Amino acid sequence: MAETRWLDDDEQETWRAYLEGTRLLIQALDRQLETDSGVSFTDYELLVHLSEAPGHRLRMRDLADASFTSRSGVTRAVTRLEDAGWVRRVECDDDRRGMHAELTEAGAAKLAEAAPGHVGAVREHMFDHLSPADRAHIKDAYARMRAHLRPTP
Amino acid sequence: MAETRWLDDDEQETWRAYLEGTRLLIQALDRQLETDSGVSFTDYELLVHLSEAPGHRLRMRDLADASFTSRSGVTRAVTRLEDAGWVRRVECDDDRRGMHAELTEAGAAKLAEAAPGHVGAVREHMFDHLSPADRAHIKDAYARMRAHLRPTP
DNA sequence: ATGACATTGTTGCTCGGTCAACTATTCCCG
DNA sequence: CGGGAATAGTTGACCGAGCAACAATGTCAT
């Protein structure tokens, strides 16, 4: 059993600032989207992923991977978005198990409507507080952490 | 209506790396705590807050503030922790509406048992990937964001 | 070709969390 | 002092997400 290397004061402060800042940030973004456009943050992100995909469609599995959630979560989310009219399910013709989630016109419109406010909030609450050096360090550091936590095969 | 200042490529990458890295990190920490000690990350944090409070107790409201969740969330969480035997409710004698959540011996023991593994995971998944400069920038940047999002009166 | 195994998406169950409403208490100002 | 407003904590209704189980389909070695 190795000796535990506890966090020193500086590490503690870093950890707390990061955790709490992140929690507040996500809450703020969620509230902004919900009140200004009637979309949750998670739904917004799903729409973004679809809008960036070729043909505005993605396999359910790929959507789950892209959004870092479970497959069942995506199933329910897509049902929700379908009910709202922003997404439709399209069967896959090369894989009869498969399903595409495809962005509808209404979904694209919703995204276009919601995006400016969201980007504004991201700027106001995050990027406006970052120096270029902050940004560079954050980008590289989290990219490293991401690579460590989800190694690409 | 002001012109929208969209995120440039570098900002996009930063935003994605940060969001995705954070999501993976929290998932990893949650899984580690759950499988190694049978505690969720949120419950673990509540125990930590109590352990750091004078007398190992905190008013429900203060616990809610400290953990950035709603009061009802804390009510249910404390009930959960009480059922596990890690926390007890103690009436407040100077405010008859008030309630303290107080860490029990068993709760302190649970925390002591879970902490090394958790700290190890935080190191492995985060601090081991940060240079001193990374850490300094992250600490200051998120402290600024936090101050902006929850101004202290 | 065929049989074992993997993968896809959905569902039932359950859990944790929020919002709004409620009761009990305290605060504060006329 | 008294009465309206604020605050503390809890609860009910609801929602979103995860896990395990499942049927359907695909893959691959022999």
Side-chain angles (χ1 to χ4, degrees):
Chain A
M1 176 78 137
E3 198 81 5
T4 299
R5 286 165 49 227
W6 301 102
L7 301 186
D8 63 35
D9 286 359
D10 191 71
E11 289 168 327
Q12 278 278 2
E13 281 181 54
T14 305
W15 178 236
R16 285 289 166 87
Y18 161 51
L19 257 194
E20 296 173 1
T22 296
R23 214 155 280 177
L24 288 168
L25 176 61
I26 301 300
Q27 283 173 7
L29 296 180
D30 211 347
R31 244 199 335 272
Q32 184 276 325
L33 276 171
E34 193 67 62
T35 64
D36 291 0
S37 311
V39 199
S40 70
F41 186 43
T42 61
D43 286 358
Y44 178 85
E45 285 202 298
L46 292 177
L47 296 181
V48 168
H49 288 305
L50 292 179
S51 80
E52 289 174 347
H56 286 184
R57 52 164 64 179
L58 234 38
R59 287 286 296 257
M60 300 296 278
R61 169 74 200 217
D62 295 333
L63 193 48
D65 285 353
S67 54
F68 293 79
T69 56
S70 63
R71 261 150 279 150
S72 62
V74 168
T75 291
R76 298 184 205 292
V78 167
T79 304
R80 197 163 61 230
L81 295 172
E82 218 174 9
D83 291 346
W86 300 332
V87 159
R88 75 177 133 256
R89 277 180 164 87
V90 179
E91 288 179 8
C92 215
D93 48 356
D94 57 324
D95 185 344
R96 294 172 59 190
R97 297 167 302 179
M99 273 292 179
H100 291 282
E102 183 180 287
L103 198 63
T104 63
E105 299 302 316
K110 191 68 193 175
L111 190 54
E113 174 209 320
H118 173 66
V119 171
V122 172
R123 279 209 181 283
E124 179 190 347
H125 300 314
M126 178 157 181
F127 286 105
D128 284 356
H129 305 275
L130 302 185
S131 70
D134 291 333
R135 201 166 84 192
H137 281 278
I138 288 175
K139 183 174 104 175
D140 293 348
Y142 284 98
R144 259 178 273 129
M145 289 168 47
R146 178 177 57 182
H148 159 77
L149 284 158
R150 187 191 271 190
T152 53
Chain B
M1 176 76 140
E3 198 80 5
T4 300
R5 286 165 48 228
W6 299 103
L7 300 187
D8 63 35
D9 285 359
D10 191 72
E11 289 169 328
Q12 278 278 2
E13 280 181 56
T14 305
W15 178 236
R16 284 289 165 88
Y18 161 50
L19 257 194
E20 296 172 1
T22 296
R23 214 155 281 176
L24 288 167
L25 175 62
I26 300 300
Q27 284 173 6
L29 296 180
D30 212 347
R31 243 199 335 270
Q32 184 276 324
L33 277 171
E34 193 66 61
T35 63
D36 291 359
S37 311
V39 199
S40 70
F41 186 43
T42 61
D43 285 359
Y44 177 86
E45 284 202 298
L46 292 177
L47 297 181
V48 169
H49 289 305
L50 292 179
S51 79
E52 290 174 348
H56 286 185
R57 53 164 61 178
L58 234 38
R59 288 285 297 258
M60 300 295 279
R61 169 72 199 218
D62 297 331
L63 193 48
D65 285 353
S67 55
F68 294 79
T69 56
S70 65
R71 262 154 279 148
S72 61
V74 168
T75 290
R76 299 192 202 296
V78 167
T79 303
R80 196 163 61 230
L81 295 172
E82 219 174 8
D83 290 346
W86 300 332
V87 160
R88 74 176 133 255
R89 278 179 164 86
V90 178
E91 288 179 8
C92 217
D93 47 358
D94 57 322
D95 184 345
R96 295 171 57 191
R97 298 167 301 181
M99 272 293 180
H100 291 283
E102 184 179 287
L103 199 62
T104 64
E105 299 302 317
K110 191 67 193 176
L111 190 53
E113 175 209 320
H118 173 66
V119 171
V122 171
R123 280 209 180 284
E124 180 190 347
H125 301 314
M126 178 158 180
F127 286 104
D128 284 356
H129 305 276
L130 302 185
S131 70
D134 290 334
R135 201 165 82 190
H137 281 279
I138 288 175
K139 183 175 103 174
D140 294 349
Y142 284 97
R144 260 178 272 130
M145 289 168 47
R146 178 178 56 180
H148 158 78
L149 284 159
R150 186 192 271 189
T152 53

